[in-house]
């Protein structure tokens, strides 16, 4: 019988509590900072691949954030655990209607116990996946204070009493590279080893990774062992064939952003320049990776001269993927069948709690269906060992095959703590 070790999920989400900014934002910024409110939600519009909401006193009661005159509602699809599949809609929702584990750390730990999960890395909701909400703000002094307040809450309140089971994932001020570097060092000094970043910064109006602008950020992450986590949608755009296509098209194509981003990095020279930098692609699944690597290596072999990378990328691009990039999955049986190409030391697992895609509370069953037939050493790597090594977690882990082969720059590969 297959033994499934307790899971380390590298992609979950948190619904911010209403008191976050009142508690953690310095007093002089609170008036201009985000404020929680509960109000009816109006009509939903889906324009150009983006959702637009308005308040309506007669609408369904919803919890919102108001910030710089804009309103950000919580929707049922992002707090979907506990609802039937056909109830997981874009309707508004209040925290009271959510499962408590969405926003309460003690309740989250209890739900993790129910779901065979030992540890969890959580992406933000109101700030958006890499802090776009604050990057788009007009008052950058307040925005910087909000980034720091969110990070303080994440480290000290959300993760603080979890015994290492809730893993801090912090934001950077995307609009200022020097402030971003300072925030990496500030958080690394208190043990943070994960930061969220945009998969395609140019979609946010920011410099591309090819310009060299982000090099100080990548250097700081390499120096501190901070993993750069890029969630699908962290570019504020999701791929779609047509601007009026239904959201199901975006959901089906969501991996495209991760694939485009990975190609950008493989041909950018960033991974050559920073050989100990670690990238993690979140919620992108992995079945697409084997062909993407095959194509990248073929382009490098056949077209590197006119393709502009002859002097930039000294080895086949897949070399840098296997050495420095992690993927994750939770519904991808095709990816598991191609695991030797995906990389047994590169794949990690997620539960996506509490989103509409989450496998909660059946994650153990879903995982077992995916890993059936794999050897126990590989199962251990996929469910926890690779994540522990990636994030340098201090979790008890006595499995003899957990160390991997050192393909990500860890001397000897034995980073799992015992």
């Amino acid at each position: 019988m297959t033994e499934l070790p307790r899971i380390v999920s590298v992609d979950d989400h948190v619904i911010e509590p209403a008191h976050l900014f009142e508690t953690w934002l310095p007093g002089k910024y609170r008036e201009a900072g985000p404020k929680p409110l509960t109000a009816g939600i109006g009509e939903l519009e889906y324009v150009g691949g983006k959702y637009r909401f308005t308040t309506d006193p007669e609408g369904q009661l919803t919890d919102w954030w108001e910030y710089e005159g804009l309103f950000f509602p919580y929707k049922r699809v992002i707090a979907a655990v506990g609802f039937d599949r056909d109830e997981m809609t874009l309707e508004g929702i209040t925290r009271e209607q959510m499962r408590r584990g969405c926003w309460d750390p003690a309740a989250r730990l209890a739900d993790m116990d129910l779901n065979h999960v030992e540890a969890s890395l959580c992406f933000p909701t109101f700030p958006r996946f890499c802090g776009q909400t604050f990057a788009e703000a007009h008052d950058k002094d307040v925005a910087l204070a909000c980034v720091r307040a969110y990070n303080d809450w994440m480290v000290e309140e959300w993760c603080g009493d979890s015994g290492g089971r809730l893993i801090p994932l912090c934001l950077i001020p995307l609009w200022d590279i020097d402030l971003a570097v300072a925030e990496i060092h500030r958080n690394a000094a208190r043990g943070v080893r994960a930061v969220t970043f945009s998969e395609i910064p140019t979609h946010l109006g920011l410099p591309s990774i090819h310009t060299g602008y982000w090099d100080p950020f990548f250097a700081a992450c390499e120096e501190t062992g901070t993993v750069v986590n890029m969630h699908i949608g962290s570019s504020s755009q999701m791929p779609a064939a047509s601007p009026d296509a239904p959201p199901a098209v975006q959901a089906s194509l969501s991996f495209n952003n991760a694939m485009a981003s990975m190609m950008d990095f493989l041909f950018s020279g960033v991974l050559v320049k920073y050989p100990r930098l670690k990238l993690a692609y979140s919620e992108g699944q992995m079945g697409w990776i084997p062909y993407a690597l095959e194509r990248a290596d073929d382009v490098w072999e056949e077209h590197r001269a006119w393709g502009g990378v002859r002097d930039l990328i000294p080895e086949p691009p897949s070399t840098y993927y296997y050495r420095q990039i992690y993927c994750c999955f939770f519904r991808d049986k095709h990816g598991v069948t191609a695991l030797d190409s995906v990389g047994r030391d590169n794949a990690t697992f997620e539960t996506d709690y509490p989103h509409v895609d989450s496998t909660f509370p059946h994650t153990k069953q879903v995982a077992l269906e995916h890993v059936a037939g794999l050897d126990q050493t590989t199962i251990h790597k996929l469910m926890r060992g690779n994540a522990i090594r990636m994030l340098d977690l201090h979790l008890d882990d006595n499995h003899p095959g957990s160390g991997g082969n050192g393909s990500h720059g860890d001397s000897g590969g034995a980073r799992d703590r015992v």
Side-chain angles (χ1 to χ4, degrees), residues 98-378:
M98 299 175 190
R99 191 174 179 92
R100 192 176 179 91
C102 293
W103 51 269
D104 178 85
R108 175 63 67 92
L109 292 172
D111 277 355
M112 288 161 59
D113 288 336
L114 287 174
N115 204 33
H116 200 66
V117 173
E118 180 174 6
S120 168
L121 183 78
C122 291
F123 283 82
T125 301
F126 160 64
R128 315 213 312 267
F129 290 145
C130 66
Q132 301 102 299
T133 296
F134 303 128
E136 294 169 1
H138 297 293
D139 189 326
K140 288 300 190 286
D141 289 336
V142 176
L144 176 60
C146 287
V147 166
R148 289 173 174 167
Y150 178 90
N151 291 342
D152 291 343
W153 166 81
M154 166 62 63
V155 173
E156 299 182 37
E157 183 176 326
W158 178 251
C159 300
D161 294 327
S162 71
R165 296 184 62 193
L166 294 172
I167 306 161
L169 175 63
C170 287
L171 306 174
I172 56 168
L174 290 162
W175 60 92
D176 188 303
I177 190 65
D178 293 330
L179 293 174
V181 168
E183 193 63 12
I184 290 293
H185 285 290
R186 184 176 83 94
N187 292 313
R190 50 183 175 175
V192 176
R193 293 295 179 268
V195 65
T196 181
F197 185 65
S198 177
E199 60 204 351
I200 308 174
T202 55
H203 285 351
L204 304 180
L206 298 168
S208 83
I209 63 169
H210 301 279
T211 63
Y213 174 84
W214 297 103
D215 282 5
F217 166 71
F218 296 134
C221 289
E222 181 185 57
E223 178 187 346
T224 59
T226 300
V227 182
V228 178
N229 296 263
M230 292 172 284
H231 197 285
I232 55 168
S234 57
S235 56
S236 295
Q237 292 187 26
M238 295 292 280
S242 308
D244 55 349
V249 173
Q250 290 185 321
S252 299
L253 293 174
S254 59
F255 71 92
N256 277 9
N257 279 1
M259 182 166 59
S261 176
M262 192 176 83
M263 286 297 185
D264 234 14
F265 271 99
L266 290 178
F267 286 111
S268 68
V270 168
L271 301 179
V272 179
K273 188 181 296 186
Y274 304 104
R276 291 177 289 108
L277 179 67
K278 292 183 283 187
L279 308 181
Y281 283 99
S282 306
E283 208 172 318
Q285 309 295 347
M286 62 185 188
W288 53 271
I289 289 176
Y291 176 69
L293 293 177
E294 179 183 342
R295 178 60 180 164
D297 283 356
D298 186 64
V299 167
W300 179 85
E301 184 68 36
E302 304 294 337
H303 309 292
R304 60 179 176 264
W306 75 264
V309 294
R310 181 186 58 198
D311 301 321
L312 186 64
I313 311 298
E315 298 178 79
S318 63
T319 304
Y320 309 103
Y321 166 82
Y322 290 119
R323 187 177 74 185
Q324 295 173 253
I325 297 179
Y326 293 81
C327 59
C328 72
F329 74 102
F330 60 119
R331 285 194 183 94
D332 190 347
K333 292 181 180 179
H334 175 70
V336 174
T337 65
L339 194 56
D340 285 334
S341 297
V342 169
R344 291 176 187 246
D345 294 317
N346 300 76
T348 60
F349 199 73
E350 61 166 291
T351 80
D352 199 31
Y353 182 110
H355 280 189
V356 65
D357 238 350
S358 178
T359 52
F360 176 90
H362 308 296
T363 296
K364 184 176 183 180
Q365 176 185 341
V366 171
L368 284 171
E369 291 171 355
H370 278 73
V371 303
L374 297 178
D375 62 273
Q376 284 297 146
T377 295
T378 299

Side-chain angles (χ1 to χ4, degrees), residues 38-71:
T38 302
I41 193 168
E43 292 294 323
L44 162 68
E45 288 186 298
Y46 185 65
V47 180
K50 295 184 178 181
Y51 299 108
R52 294 178 183 175
F53 298 89
T54 58
T55 59
D56 181 351
E58 304 299 320
Q60 179 178 336
L61 209 59
T62 300
D63 278 344
W64 305 68
W65 289 98
E66 184 277 323
Y67 179 47
E68 289 199 338
L70 300 175
F71 294 88

Side-chain angles (χ1 to χ4, degrees), residues 5-34:
R6 291 184 78 194
I7 293 163
V8 176
S9 175
V10 299
D11 172 33
D12 295 316
H13 302 266
V14 60
I15 304 296
E16 296 80 16
H19 69 260
L20 192 159
F21 295 101
E22 181 180 358
T23 300
W24 293 97
L25 198 60
K28 66 179 180 178
Y29 297 115
R30 285 180 194 158
E31 184 58 33

